[in-house]
Amino acid sequence: QGILPVTDPAMKKSLNGEWSLKVIEGITDDTTIPVLDDSWGRIPVPGCWEGYGFCKPRYDSPNPLTGYYRTTFTVPQEWRGQRIVLRFDGVLYGYDLWINGRQAGSWRSGYNTALFDITDYLKAGTQELAMRAISQFPGSDFDYNDDWAPNGIFRDVTLMAVPKTHLSDLTIRTKNTGEVNVDIEISNANKQTSVTHEILDAQGRVVGSNKVESPHLWTAETPYLYTLRTKLIQKGKTLQTFEHKFGFRELTIDGIVIKLNGQPIKFRGVTSHATDPKTVKVISDELTLKDMQLMKEASVNYIRTSHYPREPRFYELADSLGFYIIDEVPFGYGDKNLYKEEFYPVLQ
């Protein structure tokens, strides 16, 4: 069952901050997390190992390395009775997760978000988190590119709370006539479960529930966004509230001409790596915003993400500032393995 990442600030908590880290050469099948002692260092999360002297920078592909993380956190009392979910937006390259000494899951895709329901692993009081991050595994070369190959937790880590009955997916489809179709999936729904929608304009005024009269159309030059406010209700009680920004636009292809809202468009774009000389793969909202503003000044209207998906916030900024995005999936140097069944679990 899926879990739709929450948008309600009261139902999420950042776990970014200083964590303990120990990096050793080589990768073994031993999943025992070492005891915390003086041989461990400290690193900000997000933060790449190379930026803090834990290993040397490498191009193309990383050396075989294992990094062990430890940190502690608490679950807000107000979340009692909810399912507690841990979200990692990006860890290079694969990792295994322990909560209070019990293995809670694994993930093997550095540039894709992973969510773990850790409710059954929690205890009273302070929680202990441990992680084993590895730089190489079968299929890890999907995440290697003609680029620097750093290691570590390089995107946000977030704790979230969802009720037992929760939204697991949501897709918005629009038509330039103002129609809004919302496809949703709900986990653990019953006959008393319902959903309501409100559409708000850019000024925050409610302008409909499934249709907007004479909508403002989204283009890179006029990036007008509406907000869909969705409420999940059970027995008359609101369980969850979600807000998603969206635009009205229709992309079509007429022969060899790409049209947006029926009008031909030309792409003037750039290929953009998420790499910084100081923070390596950790790209702040401020830096992304600065990059996009410079692109706007240069009349750039589209960005190709090379060669991997960007962090979730990147797409929100692209929508609000007005950019067409060619979003690459992380196939990298693993192209040769695309049609081999043994690599399907890594590709899913």
Side-chain angles (χ1 to χ4, degrees):
Q1 292 180 331
I3 299 171
L4 188 66
V6 302
T7 62
D8 183 351
M11 292 292 106
K12 57 183 178 179
K13 171 184 176 180
S14 174
L15 294 191
N16 293 353
E18 272 211 344
W19 293 26
S20 296
L21 174 65
K22 180 184 180 75
V23 176
I24 64 172
E25 293 184 3
I27 300 169
T28 71
D29 293 331
D30 182 9
T31 55
T32 304
I33 303 294
V35 175
L36 189 63
D37 58 25
D38 292 342
S39 67
W40 290 60
R42 301 283 287 175
I43 190 171
V45 169
C48 292
W49 303 348
E50 294 77 4
Y52 300 89
F54 285 91
C55 64
K56 293 181 179 180
R58 285 266 300 180
Y59 204 86
D60 279 337
S61 62
N63 285 320
L65 298 171
T66 301
Y68 300 101
Y69 285 95
R70 284 190 182 273
T71 192
T72 59
F73 64 93
T74 57
V75 179
Q77 289 290 329
E78 305 90 297
W79 293 1
R80 184 172 296 177
Q82 305 278 307
R83 304 299 298 181
I84 307 303
V85 178
L86 193 56
R87 169 177 171 165
F88 289 89
D89 281 334
V91 182
L92 298 168
Y93 292 84
Y95 55 98
D96 307 302
L97 176 68
W98 285 261
I99 302 295
N100 297 319
R102 299 168 60 195
Q103 188 165 0
S106 298
W107 190 247
R108 294 292 185 268
S109 184
Y111 291 99
N112 286 312
T113 294
L115 284 76
F116 303 89
D117 185 336
I118 61 171
T119 310
D120 297 338
Y121 304 96
L122 300 177
K123 62 180 182 179
T126 301
Q127 315 298 325
E128 298 177 0
L129 182 157
M131 178 191 286
R132 168 184 176 260
I134 55 177
S135 62
Q136 297 178 6
F137 54 87
S140 60
D141 50 358
F142 285 110
D143 285 331
Y144 307 154
N145 302 280
D146 184 8
D147 185 21
W148 291 98
N151 294 269
I153 302 173
F154 73 112
R155 291 178 180 169
D156 292 337
V157 182
T158 308
L159 198 66
M160 309 186 307
V162 301
K164 179 181 178 181
T165 300
H166 57 267
L167 288 181
S168 55
D169 200 7
L170 185 148
T171 302
I172 303 171
R173 294 184 176 87
T174 65
K175 293 184 178 181
N176 287 354
T177 54
E179 294 177 37
V180 180
N181 295 303
V182 184
D183 296 327
I184 60 171
E185 294 180 11
I186 305 173
S187 295
N188 303 310
N190 57 39
K191 293 181 179 179
Q192 295 175 309
T193 307
S194 62
V195 172
T196 64
H197 301 295
E198 287 181 322
I199 301 171
L200 288 70
D201 65 12
Q203 287 71 46
R205 298 171 297 203
V206 177
V207 291
S209 58
N210 56 16
K211 185 176 176 63
V212 174
E213 297 295 335
S214 303
H216 298 277
L217 302 185
W218 189 99
T219 70
E221 294 72 36
T222 59
Y224 193 98
L225 294 177
Y226 292 84
T227 299
L228 177 72
R229 180 181 294 158
T230 300
K231 291 185 177 181
L232 178 64
I233 300 169
Q234 190 155 311
K235 295 182 179 179
K237 177 184 177 182
T238 299
L239 297 181
Q240 288 183 294
T241 300
F242 283 81
E243 291 193 356
H244 298 268
K245 292 188 181 296
F246 70 96
F248 285 92
R249 66 180 185 186
E250 290 186 8
L251 192 68
T252 55
I253 300 176
D254 184 0
I256 60 172
V257 178
I258 296 179
K259 295 182 177 180
L260 184 74
N261 306 326
Q263 299 297 315
I265 57 174
K266 286 187 177 181
F267 295 112
R268 179 185 174 90
V270 295
T271 293
S272 176
H273 264 300
T275 306
D276 180 86
K278 291 185 178 180
T279 59
V280 198
K281 286 292 180 188
V282 181
I283 308 299
S284 66
D285 290 357
E286 292 76 16
L287 182 55
T288 300
L289 182 59
K290 182 179 179 180
D291 275 349
M292 289 184 171
Q293 288 172 337
L294 288 171
M295 291 177 195
K296 277 289 182 180
E297 292 174 10
S299 298
V300 168
N301 66 1
Y302 103 84
I303 303 170
R304 170 189 172 223
T305 68
S306 59
H307 301 286
Y308 36 80
R310 288 290 299 267
E311 65 280 0
R313 180 63 176 152
F314 171 85
Y315 304 97
E316 296 174 358
L317 290 172
D319 284 344
S320 63
L321 294 175
F323 285 96
Y324 308 111
I325 302 297
I326 296 179
D327 194 27
E328 289 203 13
V329 292
F331 283 171
Y333 291 158
D335 281 3
K336 59 186 179 296
N337 299 318
L338 279 175
Y339 302 102
K340 298 177 182 178
E341 290 187 10
E342 61 266 34
F343 291 95
Y344 285 2
V346 180
L347 291 167
Q348 290 175 350

